[in-house]
């Protein structure tokens, strides 16, 4: 079998399972008694083990198997979760993660996990019951197992067994266990079946033959068997197969079969009477089909309440999905961009030709393509959870290493962003979160001394507003000390004392993001604060976003990041100056207006105009871009566009407004260097290129 | 016998120039050009070529030759060099010829007003016809352009 075609699927699914394991381990830490969470963890580990074994990654499968042994004890309530068990399991997850990472980088996923395995095995041994208890529990387990298997028999199979016994054949219930270290369970199981088929007939096996062939069983399987051979002979023959750990052969006669059937019936009756069982299931005959679906709803209903409180907003239920290569989505996006251009051109032609049927057809096409655009854009949207989901573990580890107690509360994880933004926003958020854990929230001693709870809270929140996504990180720590920050900024030459005195608290807090704020010299109280924050700010601004900070001394801080929904299609105001058309992103425009030339005044060398009880700078687009063909000075009135960057505004003079339009952002080609004030280009309905203005460049 | 080279022949003024046909994507009639402010003077702007925005260079300006107004013969040659798509505005582009690389000589210091470093060589096609082969990498070399701009400023 060629493994390469399955490798990327294996990697994707492994990462999914590792993510699930981390999430549920953290949940279990909050609810150590909740066995339902252990079941979820066990299933993820089990699936991961099966996949790894199938792909031939032995080390990965082996470590997961050891984890399963611990989890199996916990889910069977033979072991209670404690700190040292959590720590060992988390270390196991880290090792698994590095193994998968190695596989992603072309390696074989090998790692030395001897000490982790030793710890896992010690946990298993440490909780082992005494010999008498073991014997008793083994007996009970055997009885339960028999009952479970008996539930599987249908009427036809049961009648075959009864007839065979009546005719003088021997019937046996056989349970086979394969040794722990066996690497080819399916082969060993096949050898057992092959052996048995030579001397009789297998009536029923659990799991099914197909499942066994696919190694969908832990380490044991059981079956009903008709033969002429004695139980002792059978056991001897089975034990001769390599790597068989044990074989238990139980002879069956009519009485024991009837007894098993009676027990099965009462079990089935109990199942039907269970209130959680769906009504439709009650009509089913007793057997696996009835009992398994009955269990699933119980499991699901148990999981849901446990997840909701922890998740806060409530995580949507897992849904059916299909993986789509991101490159295909990009191709689809590009094709749609071309369609949008043609749509705009058709609208223009329809306006010129003035034929009613053409106009109506184009209007319909416009509606259809608008709907298609929404669908295409949504395809690129990814829940911010794909970035948030690694943060609980990060915060936990960081807090532990600093001897702090911190809860991370996440809301709005389902908020969606364009994939291109998602890919870029992870690192800035890591910076901000680390800053909140390291410098925002106080130590336990400091918190108690100031009358706060020992455990601090960091709230990570995402939500939509208009065409933007907001991500806020709020902590209930000690806030930002205005005086210390200002003093440091003055010392580093970022501003003067007079400037600092004139600033609001929030403006001072923004100094944390100033380049040059951090130096080798450190003030102990805020040591390390600000390291990297200027990088955070420039990264967010390069995405067309902004970052703000508000803080109250002694109560906490809030960092707010605002991001555009998508980077590829924007709404823009088209303007004309001289012979040239430009597009200004609507997200930067506060308003448009008309102003008399007499209202323009010179203040300290800058041209200013009155605006909403204050004065704002006014700039000439003609002069900035040296646009020919427009004599601005002779106009008595001039059109202006008021633009905004953060909380600062300015006005831009233009000659004429064309109208609002949705535009596809294109780059201007690799040959051209970046042009200040130009964010890119777009193709207008007439097929010509218009430059997209970057208003950020005009507001210093 | 040297290699056979197929070249696009174009004109600037009275001189003929050649570009390896492998580097040429398309030759277009003059398209509407959108001016791009605050960039090199010889960059006339950008054009829309079937949905892709491509910067356009006036080769006359690039080589310091006198610039002229477009005519019916004016063409934009779209080339792809080192993963960059660029359009060259030329006076005309009428010919594709096969060239034996043996006839290409090292260029003298200056040919047709263009410095040797922008040239791959010169080829005498016939008694009265000289072809100047362009070195596209050097023509598009940005670091040199930056130095030039620095000197001028």
């Amino acid at each position: 079998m060629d493994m390469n075609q399955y490798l990327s699927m294996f990697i994707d699914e492994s990462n999914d399972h590792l993510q699930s394991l981390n999430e549920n381990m953290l949940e279990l830490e909050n609810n150590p008694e909740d066995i339902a969470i252990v079941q979820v963890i066990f299933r993820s580990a089990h699936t991961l083990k099966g996949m790894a074994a199938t792909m031939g990654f032995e080390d990965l499968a082996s470590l997961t198997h050891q984890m399963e042994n611990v989890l199996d004890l916990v889910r069977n309530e033979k072991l209670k979760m404690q700190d040292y068990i959590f720590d060992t399991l988390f270390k196991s997850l880290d090792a698994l993660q590095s193994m998968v990472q190695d596989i992603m980088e072309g390696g074989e996923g090998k790692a030395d996990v001897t000490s982790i395995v030793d710890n896992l095995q010690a946990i298993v041994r440490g909780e082992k019951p005494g010999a008498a208890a073991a014997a008793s529990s083994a007996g009970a387990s055997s009885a339960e197992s028999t009952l479970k298997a008996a539930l599987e028999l249908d009427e036809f199979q049961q009648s075959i067994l009864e007839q065979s016994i009546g005719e003088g054949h021997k019937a046996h219930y056989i349970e086979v266990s394969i040794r722990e270290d066996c690497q080819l369970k399916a082969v060993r199981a096949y050898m057992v079946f092959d052996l048995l088929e030579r001397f009789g007939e297998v009536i029923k096996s659990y799991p099914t033959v197909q499942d066994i062939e696919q190694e969908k069983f832990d380490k044991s399987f059981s079956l009903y068997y008709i033969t002429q051979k004695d139980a002792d002979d059978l056991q001897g023959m089975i034990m001769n197969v390599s790597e068989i750990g044990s074989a238990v052969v139980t002879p069956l006669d009519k009485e024991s079969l009837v007894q098993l059937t009676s027990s099965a019936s009462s079990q089935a009756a109990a199942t039907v009477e269970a209130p959680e069982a769906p009504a439709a299931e009650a009509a089913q005959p007793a057997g696996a089909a009835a009992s398994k679906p009955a269990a699933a709803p119980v499991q699901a209903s148990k999981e849901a309440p446990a997840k909701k409180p922890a998740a806060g907003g409530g995580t949507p239920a897992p849904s059916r999905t299909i993986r789509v290569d991101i490159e295909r989505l990009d191709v689809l996006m590009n094709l749609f961009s071309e369609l949008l251009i043609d749509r705009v051109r058709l609208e223009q032609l329809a306006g010129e030709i003035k034929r009613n049927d053409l106009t109506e057809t184009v209007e319909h096409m416009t509606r259809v393509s608008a709907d298609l655009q929404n669908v295409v854009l949504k395809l690129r949207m990814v829940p911010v959870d794909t970035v948030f989901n690694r943060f609980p573990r990060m915060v936990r580890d960081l807090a532990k290493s600093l001897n702090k107690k911190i809860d991370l509360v996440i809301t709005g994880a389902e908020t969606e962003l364009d994939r291109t933004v998602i890919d870029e926003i992870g690192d800035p958020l890591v910076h901000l979160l680390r800053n909140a854990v390291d410098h925002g929230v106080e130590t336990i001693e400091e918190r108690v001394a100031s009358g706060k709870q020992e455990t601090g809270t960091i709230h990570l929140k995402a939500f939509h507003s208009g065409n933007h996504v907001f991500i806020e990180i709020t902590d209930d720590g000690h806030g930002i000390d205005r005086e210390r920050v200002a003093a440091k900024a003055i010392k580093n030459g970022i501003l003067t004392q007079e400037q600092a005195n004139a600033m609001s608290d929030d403006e001072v807090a923004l100094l944390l993001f100033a380049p040059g704020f951090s130096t080798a010299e450190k003030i102990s109280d805020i040591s390390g604060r600000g390291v990297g924050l200027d990088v955070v700010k420039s990264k967010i601004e390069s995405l067309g976003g902004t970052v703000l900070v508000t803080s109250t001394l002694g109560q906490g801080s809030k960092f707010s990041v605002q991001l555009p929904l998508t980077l590829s299609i924007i709404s823009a105001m088209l303007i004309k100056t001289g012979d040239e058309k430009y597009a200004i992103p609507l997200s930067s425009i506060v308003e448009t207006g008309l102003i008399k030339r007499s209202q323009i005044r010179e203040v300290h060398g800058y041209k200013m105009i009155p605006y909403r009880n204050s004065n704002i700078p006014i700039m000439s687009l003609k002069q900035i871009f040296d646009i020919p063909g427009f004599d601005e000075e002779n106009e008595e009135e001039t059109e202006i566009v008021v633009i905004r960057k953060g909380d600062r505004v300015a006005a831009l003079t233009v000659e004429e407004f064309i109208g609002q339009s949705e535009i596809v952002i294109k780059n201007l080609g690799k040959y051209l260097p970046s042009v200040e004030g130009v964010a890119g280009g777009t193709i207008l309905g007439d097929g010509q290129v218009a430059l997209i203005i970057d208003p950020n460049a005009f507001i210093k | 016998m040297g290699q056979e080279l197929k070249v696009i022949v174009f004109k600037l003024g009275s001189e003929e120039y050649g570009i390896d046909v492998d580097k040429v994507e398309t030759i277009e009639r003059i398209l509407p050009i959108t001016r791009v402010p605050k960039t090199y003077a010889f960059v006339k702007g950008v054009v829309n070529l079937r949905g892709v925005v491509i910067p356009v260079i006036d080769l006359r300006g690039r080589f310091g030759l006198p610039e002229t107004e477009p005519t019916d013969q004016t063409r934009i040659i779209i080339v792809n060099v080192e993963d960059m798509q660029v359009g060259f505005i030329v006076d005309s582009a009428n010919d594709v010829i096969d060239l034996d690389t043996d006839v290409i000589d090292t260029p003298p210091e200056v040919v047709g007003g263009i410095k040797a470093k922008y040239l791959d060589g010169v080829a005498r096609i016939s008694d009265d016809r000289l072809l100047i082969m362009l070195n596209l990498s050097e023509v598009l070399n940005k670091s040199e352009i930056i130095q030039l701009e620095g000197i001028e400023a």
Side-chain angles (χ1 to χ4, degrees), chain B residues 42-57:
Chain B
F42 57 85
V43 174
K44 292 304 160 187
V46 288
V47 297
N48 164 27
L49 183 68
R50 291 180 280 281
V52 181
V53 177
I54 296 182
V56 172
I57 293 172

Side-chain angles (χ1 to χ4, degrees), chain B residues 33-100:
Chain B
I33 299 175
T34 299
R35 191 184 67 97
V36 175
K38 306 189 190 186
T39 185
Y40 316 124
F42 57 85
V43 174
K44 292 304 160 187
V46 288
V47 297
N48 164 27
L49 183 68
R50 291 180 280 281
V52 181
V53 177
I54 296 182
V56 172
I57 293 172
D58 185 340
L59 274 186
R60 283 174 163 274
R62 177 70 183 92
F63 294 143
L65 302 178
E67 294 188 11
T68 62
E69 289 299 314
T71 70
D72 285 349
Q73 300 300 313
T74 304
R75 295 289 184 269
I76 300 179
I77 302 179
I78 309 293
V79 300
N80 193 317
V81 181
E82 295 164 10
D83 271 346
M84 291 186 291
Q85 271 184 313
V86 180
F88 290 149
I89 302 177
V90 300
D91 293 356
S92 66
N94 295 320
D95 230 339
V96 178
I97 66 171
D98 293 322
L99 209 56
D100 188 329

Side-chain angles (χ1 to χ4, degrees), chain A residues 5 46 89 115-116 121 167 204 207 213 250 303 323 394 582-583 606 609 614 617 662 671:
Chain A
Q5 57 177 323
H46 189 67
L89 288 172
S115 63
I116 299 178
Q121 289 171 340
E167 290 166 10
K204 173 78 177 182
E213 285 174 350
T250 307
E303 288 173 32
R323 294 179 192 277
M394 185 188 86
Y582 290 89
Y606 294 97
I609 58 169
S614 68
E662 285 167 351
Y671 180 68

Side-chain angles (χ1 to χ4, degrees), chain A residues 338 341 345 580 582 624-628 666-673 675-676 678 683 687-691, chain B residues 32 34-40 42-43 46-48 50-55 57 83-84 86 139-140 142 145:
Chain A
E338 299 309 308
I341 291 170
R345 190 176 301 193
E580 299 179 356
Y582 290 89
I624 292 173
F625 285 158
D626 200 19
I627 301 172
K666 307 261 181 178
N667 68 75
L668 297 181
K670 290 180 182 176
Y671 180 68
L672 287 181
V675 177
E676 189 186 20
V678 175
I683 296 175
Q688 293 191 45
V689 180
L691 301 185
Chain B
T34 299
R35 191 184 67 97
V36 175
K38 306 189 190 186
T39 185
Y40 316 124
F42 57 85
V43 174
V46 288
V47 297
N48 164 27
R50 291 180 280 281
V52 181
V53 177
I54 296 182
I57 293 172
D83 271 346
M84 291 186 291
V86 180
V139 172
L140 297 178
K142 289 198 234 182
I145 295 168

